[in-house]
Each structure stands twice: as structure tokens, then as C-alpha cells.
Amino acid sequence: MEVGVERVFIGAGCNRIVNNVSWGACDLLSFGAQNAVAIFCPKTAQILTTLPAHKAFVNCTHWLPSSKFAFKASNLETHYLLSGDADGTIFLWEFSLADKKGEGNAQIHGYDSTRSVKTLFPWRNVLQVPEKHKKGVTCISAIMVSQTDAIFASSSSDGIVSVWEVTLPSSPGGECKLSCLDALLVGKKPMVALSLTELPGNSGHLALAMGGLDNKIHIYSGERTGKFVHACELKGHTDWIRSLDFSLPLYENGETPSLLLVSSSQDKGIRIWKMALHESLANNRKEETSLASYIKGPIFLAGSFSYQISLESLLIGHEDWVYSVEWQPPENSSVDGIECYQPQSILSASMDKTMMIWQPEKTTGIWMNMVTVGELSHCALGFMVVIGAQMKVPSGHFAAVSDISWARDGEYLLTVSHDQTSRVFSAWCDESSSEDGKAWHEIARPQVHGHDINCVTLIRGKGNHRFVSGAEEKVARVFEAPLSFLKTLSHATSQKSSFADDLPVDMQILGANMSALGLSQKPIYVQASSDSKERNNSEGIDTLETIPEAVPVVFTEPPIEEQLAWHTLWPESHKLYGHGNELFSVCGDHEGKLVATSCKAQLASVAEIWLWQVGSWKAVGRLHSHTLTVTQLEFSHDNSFLLSVSRDRHFSIFAIKQTGADEISHQLVIKQEAHKRIIWACSWNPFGHEFATGSRDKTVKIWELENGSSVKLLMTLPTFKSSVTALSWLGVDRQRNHGIIAVGMESGLIELWSFSNTKSENSSIVVPNAALVVRFDPFICHVSAVHRLRWKTRRRTKMVRACSLRRVEMIIV
């Protein structure tokens, strides 16, 4: 069986930590997304790929060269990326523009001949820095000193700052050479901010600025081939230093160029320091003890040159910690490509939910706040990193993605996460989009909650779009799509006529609102929308005590973050009470009539499964069988049976039958111990009553329910290399009972296995058969446990959706 695989979409949130985002000269952004490094293209507003290698939380990334040196990189075919994690490990990645040409978004193809996915991929893991830090990497700063040579420094919580020289290959795929220039012990108060630069007028000498928990900026000077020595200290900040950035050389009136260093701190202030070449070494020594020299700032030596650093300006404007500052990248360069015009513009980001652009006033030269952008939505904490441009940004969860569910017609996907949100993703069509070239975007955030959300299911069947979610609370909540979402969805999918049946008669709910301290989302009615707009316009800026009302609108293009976080909520229609502990699993039948829920349990009396009738939302059944938490539930495709798997290593099958308008009969058909460890996943065959179970014991077993009363083990797939955490069965050919089982593992890897019934050669006996179809390349898989897999079938295209820690992916098969 030949299978082709192409990755369509990645949704991932950025790790909430300083120094995590970097903008490269190749015009791509990098950021840590849990244990992976995500690569984002600003032009398409899509995450192109994620790089797997780190075993811990990615703290920082840095491009070689960065956008600051883009004027030197116009002819480069190879770019490099550094990434550091919470375990102290640093990786160097190679990105080849030559390989990327003609490949679009780095498409991935699979071939059955090798039973693995072969990649046409522009990325390569070049090396791991051999001497890793003993604790987490907090910052990486790097500069290109030539086309093939770079210097980078890394700081860590272990109190050591390491400086490395890397020799890059002249062509893609070559060998990189790495050598350690120095390891600086900075004491018990570690450094968290670094910036490297070449000293003006002094070929071969470098300056390294570092700041951290001692509230001081430390300047070190050194040569490319020698050790770094402590040159001086810059005092002034009264709290931790959080960000440092050297400007490019400034050329004024033909004089020797100078440098500017900008620093930000938790003292809410920003300081600009000027580093200039001093007149002569003799004059320096005479002025070292004078008052004038003290006021101007410290002087340090670097080879035969001396430099003086003075405070240029103090910028006050932010009302909270300033986490990031950065100089505007250069706009043009000189003819020889060496000298470059450095714009006098600084961008800062703060926990006060604002970003500011600072520039010197034209007449006086005093640095002023020229532009302020923000406020963020009320739900946001603040700005952690600044990268310097406004555009559509990558969207996704920033904590574990716990469950996913397709809409009944597959037009969108709903995801929930431990970041306490649910999100809707859909392919957004425009006039220039082809069927295969649609870009996926987040189009709504139906639920913003106060608890981690563990499970979700979209209600199938006719009528309005509804879903049921369960969180770290004892109540399940029912949400119903408002009018604004339905109309936005029609714009996104360009299928306006198909949503006529979804609109209830005289629908009056436009959106939803939520109070600051409440967990419920209250409906906003059509007639009340104009009143809320008028109130918001007159109330001014919101605070933590006064929350502005949401203003639901119909979007004709993908919404931005502020709109998503506050104006796309769905109203909560019902609460389902009954469970004694936090909700853990939920599923709906295939006709949209029943919903089953389970909760965390350590006793048989608590491990019961509740059945709810869709519409009336009455409890119509309480199913008893398991003794520990039921980890997954799934109805058979004919809705006759409900399958449950549990931490108690058993699966149970219940016969479900509707006996009246509001009555459901249920009976335990069988309970059987199936695995040696926890059973995490289960899935029914769409064409029959076969089902698969996956366990922590690294096995997948395929069973058959016979005559509705007994179960037979058909086969056990070969042992996997990691615990099986997710399963999803796709029907391909009903006549041959042929299907594909997607298997997700704790390692983040995904495999596809075919299942079919074949007749034996010597008799007419039907024998079940399973075979590995494709094993996905790690570059297109997750880097942590796969929590859920969901197939979507539409026309001739089959799609599988996988969710994992902080990351969501779609693969077309």
C-alpha cells in the first residue's frame, strides 16, 4: 500500500519566557514551543515546521545572522539557528535556502518501500554544544564576524557564561567546527541578558555586555582567539537586568564610530549607554581619577585602544517590568555592504501590556516615547518579548493540548488545553486560495476558563453547533455557537448556503461575555450589542477591576489575538452536575443524541460513567464497571455500544438502546482485563464491531465483539518503542473491512497501520491482517506525548489530526 503524507498545519503557542523569540536575516522567526523549536513565516502567518531534539523546555533561540545583520546576508544560501533549553543543552541548526526553493512550505512525502516518511527538508541538526550548562540556558547572543565565522555566548542559571567560536561550512551540508573561547564564572547571581558586538575601530576585539540578578551591567572585552576579561561595571538600575542590545556602529560627521547599548530592567526603566573610542591612552590615564572622568563614565582598555561608556539617556514610561528592548534593524547599507545606517529607534515590551517606540526628538535630541501600542486583551499577562513588527502572529495553545474534536462536516477543528482555553481552527478561503492552498487560522476562542480543560466533544447531528467540555472541576459545560461565529465561519469556508440549517429561527444570541471573577459565559443578544459598544467607547481603558464588555463581530478575515481573546466567546447554555471529581473524558454519539462523561477516580463508586441526553441535558444513565479513572470513551459507529478504557487496565462495553423519547436502557456486556499497564486509548472500526486498545505497556491489541455478548482477541501488533497514548481508526473499504489505524505514542511519534480481512490460501476462512503502512519522520511528529488522534473524512481526502503538548498538527494521508 502506497501512502503519501503532507503536513498541512501546525498550531503552537510560544513559551512564556524572555529571550525566546528571534527574527532571522532569512525573514523567518523562531521560538520555543514546549520542547520544540517552531519556525514561523511572517509573510504567510504560518508555522512552517518544528525542530525536534531538545528533551526539555526551550528557553531561548537566536539566528545567525539575525535581522540586525540582514544587510550582510543578502547572498547567503545557508542560515543557522541556535537554541537552548532548561536542561542546559544548546543545539545548532542549519537552514538551507537552496533546498527550500521549489518546496513551498517544506512538504513531506512518504513512501511505502522503506516504511518511513522520507523528507525533502531544508533543516539539519548540525551539532550539540559538547559542554552543556549544568542548569537551564537563560540567554544566547551571537554575531557573524565573517561569512563563515561566528561568535556566540550563552548564559545559564549555573552562574557561567560560555563564549564559543563556530566555523561554518562554505556550502550546505558541510561540517561545522566548534571551539570554546572562554567560560566566565559570574558568581552566585547568574546573568539573564547578553549582547555581543565588535568594538569599533579595533579589528578582532569584541565586547560582551551581560546583566542579571545583581542589578549591574558587566562589560567584558576579548579577542576572537583569546580570553575575555572583565572591563567595567555600569550601575544605575535598581532591579534585575532583563534585556540588553548593542546598536550597530554610529557614524557621526566622519568621526570614529561609536556604539549605543540599551538596557531594560525590572525597575521599569530603560537606559541608553554610549560606548565611544577615547582620545588617547595617555589622556585616559590622567583622567581616570578626575571628577569629569567619573561623571562621563568608566574607561576600559581593549588592545591598544581605550573606550569610555557614559549614560546617554534614561527612558521612563512603562508602569511595570520592562522585559525586552531592541534596536530597530537597519534599513539600508553603504555600497561596500560594511557600513550601515543604524536607525535611532528602540522598541520596548513590558508587563504593563504595552510596547513603546522610543526616538530622539528632532530639535532637542531628547529621547521620547513616540508610539505606544497595547493594551493587550484583559486575559493577557503582559509582553515578554519584542521582535519589532506588527502582523498576524502564530496561534496555538501554550500548555498541553488535551483533546480535539472535528466539526460534523469537518469545516473546522475544536481544541482544548491546559492553558484554560478552547480554540477553533479552520482553513480560511479567499479569492486567491486554491483547494490545496488554503491557510489555516484560529478563527474563534469559544471558551476562556479558570480551570485547565481536559476533554471536549462537538455534538453531531442537525442544528446549531454545540460542544461539551470538561475541566478540572466537577461540572461539564455546554456551549452553543452564536450568530457572529456562524457568519464568520461562512466567510472562512465560502459556503454560505450550507449554514442555513445551522441558524435557528429568530436567533438572537450574537456572542458571549464573561465577568472578571466568574467562570460562566453569559449571552450577548443582538439588540444589546449596540448598547455595549456605546458603553465601551465612553468608559476608557479597562483595568483589572473593570472589564469591558465583549463586542462580537463578524470577521471577514482571520482575527488577531485581541479579537480572539475577548470577542469570540460562545455563550454557555447548560451545566451538567453529577460527577464527584474533576472531569477527565467526554464523548458524543454519532447522531448527536447522547453524551457520555467520566471523571478522575480512585474508587469504583466515583468511576461511574454518566449519560446525558442532548437537548434536555438530563442525566439518563449512570454506568458502573471500572474501579479507577476512565481514560477514554467512544461510541460504536452504529451507536449500539459504548466502549470505555481505564487506569484499572480493563475495558468495558455497554449496550445502549433508546427505549422511549426520554428513556435510555444500558447494560454492561463485558468487562475484561486487556493490558498489563494503564489503557490510555481506544477506537472502534467504523465498519463493524472490531476495536483497538492502546496501553502504557507499549502494545496495541485489536478485538472483536461477537454477537454483542463476547469479545475475541484478533491480534496484538508488534511492541512499540514507547507507550501508546492515542488511537484513531479510519475506514477505507467496507467490502474488505479495510481500515487504517493511527497510533500515537508518548515519545510524540506517529505510525499508521493497515487492517483488513483476507481469505487464507487453502480455505475460505477470513483471517484478519495488519501491517505497518508508514512511520512518520520525527521532524513532522510531536516532541512529547500524543494525547489524541482524530481522523476526518471528506470526499477522497482523509485527514488525521493529532494533539500533543503545546502543539497541534494536521496530516493529510
Side-chain angles (χ1 to χ4, degrees):
M1 180 179 181
E2 184 174 339
V3 173
V5 178
E6 177 190 342
R7 182 171 52 204
V8 174
F9 170 73
I10 301 174
C14 180
N15 293 342
R16 295 190 294 178
I17 191 168
V18 186
N19 304 320
N20 188 24
V21 181
S22 179
W23 196 318
C26 57
D27 207 22
L28 295 178
L29 271 75
S30 62
F31 62 90
Q34 211 253 347
N35 293 2
V37 180
I39 307 300
F40 173 73
C41 178
K43 294 181 180 179
T44 61
Q46 297 290 303
I47 297 176
L48 301 183
T49 189
T50 53
L51 309 178
H54 291 282
K55 303 301 181 184
F57 197 83
V58 176
N59 285 344
C60 48
T61 63
H62 193 93
W63 280 94
L64 278 173
S66 65
S67 58
K68 182 189 295 185
F69 300 99
F71 66 96
K72 291 185 177 181
S74 57
N75 297 323
L76 289 182
E77 290 190 351
T78 306
H79 294 249
Y80 294 86
L81 177 66
L82 290 158
S83 59
D85 64 26
D87 195 35
T89 304
I90 299 175
F91 285 99
L92 177 66
W93 307 85
E94 179 186 86
F95 174 60
S96 174
L97 293 175
D99 293 342
K100 189 172 182 290
K101 293 177 180 178
E103 296 302 327
N105 287 351
Q107 294 182 355
I108 314 298
H109 304 279
Y111 301 94
D112 178 63
S113 58
T114 59
R115 297 195 184 279
S116 64
V117 174
K118 293 294 184 182
T119 63
L120 297 172
F121 203 65
W123 284 92
R124 181 171 70 101
N125 188 343
V126 178
L127 58 84
Q128 176 182 340
V129 175
E131 302 174 15
K132 76 172 193 176
H133 290 283
K134 296 179 181 178
K135 293 184 179 180
V137 181
T138 56
C139 185
I140 296 176
S141 180
I143 58 170
M144 297 284 295
V145 293
S146 70
Q147 293 282 349
T148 58
D149 292 292
I151 306 290
F152 72 90
S154 61
S155 62
S156 168
S157 300
D158 61 9
I160 295 177
V161 175
S162 299
V163 185
W164 299 84
E165 180 178 21
V166 57
T167 302
L168 306 172
S170 56
S171 60
E175 182 182 359
C176 289
K177 297 180 180 180
L178 186 68
S179 60
C180 183
L181 296 181
D182 208 345
L184 307 173
L185 182 61
V186 297
K188 296 181 180 180
K189 295 185 176 181
M191 300 292 110
V192 295
L194 300 173
S195 186
L196 264 172
T197 189
E198 292 184 272
L199 288 172
N202 200 348
S203 177
H205 281 77
L206 305 172
L208 171 61
M210 60 180 73
L213 279 59
D214 64 357
N215 309 343
K216 303 174 185 176
I217 300 172
H218 300 268
I219 305 296
Y220 284 77
S221 65
E223 299 182 63
R224 289 177 51 186
T225 57
K227 298 291 183 178
F228 279 71
V229 296
H230 189 271
C232 64
E233 294 179 353
L234 305 179
K235 300 179 181 179
H237 288 292
T238 59
D239 209 332
W240 293 3
I241 310 297
R242 299 314 304 246
S243 183
L244 295 167
D245 190 30
F246 273 114
S247 70
L248 293 172
L250 300 173
Y251 296 85
E252 299 177 358
N253 303 323
E255 298 178 357
T256 305
S258 60
L259 294 172
L260 292 179
L261 172 66
V262 61
S263 61
S264 68
S265 167
Q266 291 182 181
D267 63 9
K268 309 176 187 177
I270 301 170
R271 290 174 179 258
I272 302 175
W273 312 83
K274 184 174 183 180
M275 181 185 294
L277 190 66
H278 210 251
E279 294 179 359
S280 67
L281 184 59
N283 292 337
N284 292 343
R285 289 175 178 170
K286 292 179 181 178
E287 295 179 3
E288 278 178 358
T289 58
S290 68
L291 180 61
S293 176
Y294 177 80
I295 294 175
K296 289 181 179 179
I299 298 171
F300 69 92
L301 303 178
S304 58
F305 292 84
S306 64
Y307 299 86
Q308 186 166 41
I309 305 179
S310 58
L311 180 63
E312 179 79 2
S313 185
L314 173 62
L315 312 183
I316 301 295
H318 286 293
E319 298 177 355
D320 209 333
W321 297 354
V322 185
Y323 265 138
S324 182
V325 285
E326 186 170 300
W327 289 97
Q328 180 182 339
E331 299 174 347
N332 51 59
S333 62
S334 62
V335 178
D336 57 12
I338 299 176
E339 300 176 358
C340 183
Y341 169 69
Q342 171 65 65
Q344 296 290 285
S345 183
I346 296 171
L347 182 60
S348 62
S350 170
M351 285 291 288
D352 65 5
K353 302 183 183 180
T354 65
M355 294 188 298
M356 293 184 179
I357 297 177
W358 306 84
Q359 295 174 348
E361 205 271 331
K362 292 182 179 180
T363 56
T364 62
I366 298 176
W367 284 80
M368 304 286 289
N369 171 24
M370 299 298 183
V371 178
T372 300
V373 292
E375 295 248 337
L376 278 175
S377 69
H378 182 81
C379 305
L381 182 64
F383 287 106
M384 303 287 288
V385 181
V386 58
I387 54 177
Q390 180 183 0
M391 56 187 62
K392 290 186 177 69
V393 295
S395 177
H397 294 285
F398 55 84
V401 182
S402 49
D403 206 352
I404 49 182
S405 183
W406 282 103
R408 57 177 175 263
D409 294 324
E411 62 269 31
Y412 64 87
L413 184 81
L414 177 67
T415 66
V416 295
S417 166
H418 291 170
D419 68 4
Q420 304 183 352
T421 67
S422 65
R423 304 175 188 236
V424 172
F425 296 89
S426 176
W428 195 282
C429 304
D430 53 39
E431 296 179 356
S432 60
S433 297
S434 63
E435 183 68 23
D436 298 329
K438 300 175 183 176
W440 281 72
H441 297 277
E442 183 180 353
I443 66 169
R445 204 164 295 173
Q447 184 181 7
V448 178
H449 204 40
H451 298 288
D452 295 358
I453 307 176
N454 295 326
C455 51
V456 72
T457 186
L458 276 160
I459 306 301
R460 301 188 179 275
K462 295 182 179 180
N464 194 14
H465 299 254
R466 291 170 289 183
F467 72 86
V468 180
S469 68
E472 292 289 330
E473 55 180 348
K474 301 177 183 180
V475 56
R477 298 174 184 269
V478 184
F479 296 86
E480 187 165 343
L483 186 62
S484 59
F485 171 79
L486 297 175
K487 291 185 176 181
T488 296
L489 186 61
S490 70
H491 283 288
T493 59
S494 298
Q495 297 176 351
K496 299 182 180 180
S497 59
S498 66
F499 293 95
D501 296 336
D502 298 334
L503 292 172
V505 178
D506 297 327
M507 184 174 185
Q508 296 296 314
I509 298 178
L510 184 62
N513 218 336
M514 184 174 63
S515 61
L517 300 178
L519 297 175
S520 299
Q521 297 173 190
K522 306 299 183 182
I524 297 176
Y525 295 94
V526 174
Q527 62 269 23
S529 176
S530 58
D531 297 337
S532 63
K533 288 182 181 179
E534 293 177 1
R535 286 196 297 270
N536 284 337
N537 291 335
S538 62
E539 287 175 358
I541 299 177
D542 62 295
T543 66
L544 288 174
E545 291 75 22
T546 60
I547 306 286
E549 292 187 8
V551 184
V553 295
V554 177
F555 297 106
T556 56
E557 61 180 17
I560 61 176
E561 175 64 24
E562 183 178 1
Q563 295 167 328
L564 286 167
W566 200 240
H567 303 302
T568 60
L569 296 173
W570 290 19
E572 180 183 313
S573 60
H574 293 83
K575 294 183 179 70
L576 310 182
Y577 294 97
H579 286 288
N581 284 330
E582 297 87 349
L583 272 291
F584 194 84
S585 180
V586 61
C587 77
D589 70 357
H590 300 275
E591 294 180 351
K593 295 181 178 179
L594 287 177
V595 169
T597 58
S598 69
C599 70
K600 295 180 180 180
Q602 294 182 336
L603 299 172
S605 58
V606 184
E608 60 186 356
I609 300 167
W610 285 61
L611 293 179
W612 309 87
Q613 186 180 53
V614 174
S616 67
W617 298 110
K618 295 179 180 179
V620 293
R622 296 169 67 176
L623 316 182
H624 297 269
S625 175
H626 296 285
T627 58
L628 294 174
T629 303
V630 174
T631 55
Q632 189 174 355
L633 299 159
E634 186 169 308
F635 284 93
S636 62
H637 286 256
D638 61 3
N639 297 315
S640 300
F641 300 97
L642 174 64
L643 172 64
S644 62
V645 294
S646 168
R647 287 179 175 269
D648 63 13
R649 307 175 187 179
H650 290 71
F651 68 76
S652 298
I653 298 178
F654 301 88
I656 307 295
K657 185 177 181 181
Q658 187 162 357
T659 57
D662 296 328
E663 297 181 0
I664 299 292
S665 68
H666 52 82
Q667 180 182 0
L668 177 63
V669 173
I670 191 169
K671 176 184 178 181
Q672 181 168 327
E673 184 173 359
H675 292 269
K676 299 178 181 179
R677 304 289 298 276
I678 294 172
I679 306 177
W680 284 122
C682 62
S683 187
W684 285 98
N685 179 1
F687 297 149
H689 288 158
E690 296 92 354
F691 61 92
T693 58
S695 167
R696 182 178 282 178
D697 63 11
K698 303 180 182 180
T699 63
V700 172
K701 296 183 179 181
I702 300 177
W703 313 78
E704 183 179 15
L705 177 63
E706 297 181 312
N707 302 320
S709 59
S710 62
V711 169
K712 177 177 71 174
L713 177 63
L714 297 180
M715 65 176 61
T716 301
L717 300 184
T719 303
F720 293 86
K721 295 181 180 180
S722 180
S723 300
V724 177
T725 53
L727 294 171
S728 187
W729 197 321
L730 169 72
V732 178
D733 185 347
R734 183 180 293 274
Q735 185 175 359
R736 295 192 301 123
N737 195 26
H738 179 210
I740 295 178
I741 304 173
V743 181
M745 288 167 269
E746 190 175 32
S747 62
L749 300 179
I750 299 173
E751 295 183 4
L752 300 184
W753 288 74
S754 67
F755 175 87
S756 61
N757 292 332
T758 58
K759 292 183 178 180
S760 60
E761 296 180 357
N762 300 326
S763 66
S764 60
I765 299 176
V766 176
V767 178
N769 178 55
L772 176 64
V773 176
V774 66
R775 180 179 291 119
F776 291 178
D777 188 282
F779 269 99
I780 67 168
C781 289
H782 300 285
V783 295
S784 298
V786 179
H787 289 163
R788 193 75 75 228
L789 292 160
R790 298 286 190 197
W791 286 99
K792 168 207 163 187
T793 304
R794 186 178 182 182
R795 298 188 183 94
R796 296 182 179 179
T797 302
K798 280 70 174 185
M799 296 184 180
V800 63
R801 188 74 175 193
C803 75
S804 175
L805 287 182
R806 300 182 183 236
R807 184 163 159 212
V808 182
E809 285 190 350
M810 176 187 301
I811 300 118
I812 296 181
V813 180

